[in-house]
Amino acid sequence: MEITGVAGLEEGQEGEIACLLSEEHIRSLEKSRASCVIVPTGVQRQTGAFISADDPHAALLKVIDLFHPRVSVVPKGVDAQSIVEEGARIGEGVAIGPLSYVGKRAEIGERTVIHAQVYVGEEVKIGEDCEIYPQVTIRERVEIGSRVTIHPGAV
């Protein structure tokens, strides 16, 4: 079977994969026209292909990454136009774009991408594999987990 894209459970068409994220929507499972559906372990689809997963949401995110991989335009390392204060810890593979500021004792996790003009205050902790888009302000002592995306202009 060839899967050409990802769709919602109710909107899915032949050639697409969908996901049953909650058993509250189980009625939509059999109505779905998607070629394949990711379902929670223990749930079976009567007609059509399915993939059983302990965490359907995590499985869906992996599938989405296959169809729409992240492409970073920020080269790894700290841009010469950015300021990283003394005592800040920058993980392996981090990219910090131009005109960004990282405060004292801030921690940036491995493989995190910080785009241009981002303010990271003192003692901020940002986890691994995050993407912080332009003109984001993260105030002092805020903690952000791993694999988080913060969209442009957020405070």
Side-chain angles (χ1 to χ4, degrees):
M1 168 186 315
E2 182 178 350
I3 302 294
T4 58
V6 181
L9 187 60
E10 293 181 7
E11 299 81 19
Q13 299 294 318
E14 187 175 326
E16 296 177 316
I17 188 167
C19 185
L20 175 65
L21 293 173
S22 167
E23 291 191 36
E24 294 172 9
H25 299 106
I26 202 142
R27 286 184 174 165
S28 299
L29 179 61
E30 295 309 323
K31 295 178 185 175
S32 180
R33 294 174 50 200
S35 292
C36 185
V37 178
I38 301 168
V39 298
T41 301
V43 173
Q44 293 186 356
R45 187 178 187 197
Q46 301 304 311
T47 58
F50 67 93
I51 297 171
S52 181
D54 290 334
D55 185 348
H57 186 260
L60 176 63
L61 291 176
K62 288 180 182 180
V63 169
I64 289 171
D65 281 344
L66 292 173
F67 285 96
H68 305 284
R70 290 185 179 194
V71 178
S72 180
V73 295
V74 181
K76 288 183 172 94
V78 178
D79 188 273
Q81 295 179 308
S82 289
I83 297 171
V84 176
E85 293 286 1
E86 188 174 319
R89 291 191 296 174
I90 309 297
E92 291 284 323
V94 167
I96 299 178
L99 304 174
S100 290
Y101 173 84
V102 178
K104 295 177 183 175
R105 297 176 303 283
E107 298 176 21
I108 311 295
E110 294 182 4
R111 299 171 303 280
T112 287
V113 176
I114 296 177
H115 289 260
Q117 299 177 335
V118 172
Y119 174 87
V120 177
E122 290 186 18
E123 299 179 19
V124 166
K125 294 181 182 177
I126 300 174
E128 299 177 351
D129 301 304
C130 294
E131 185 135 16
I132 315 297
Y133 284 97
Q135 299 180 344
V136 168
T137 298
I138 304 171
R139 295 293 309 267
E140 296 73 19
R141 293 177 293 288
V142 168
E143 293 187 27
I144 296 171
S146 294
R147 294 171 297 285
V148 173
T149 299
I150 301 180
H151 292 280
V155 177

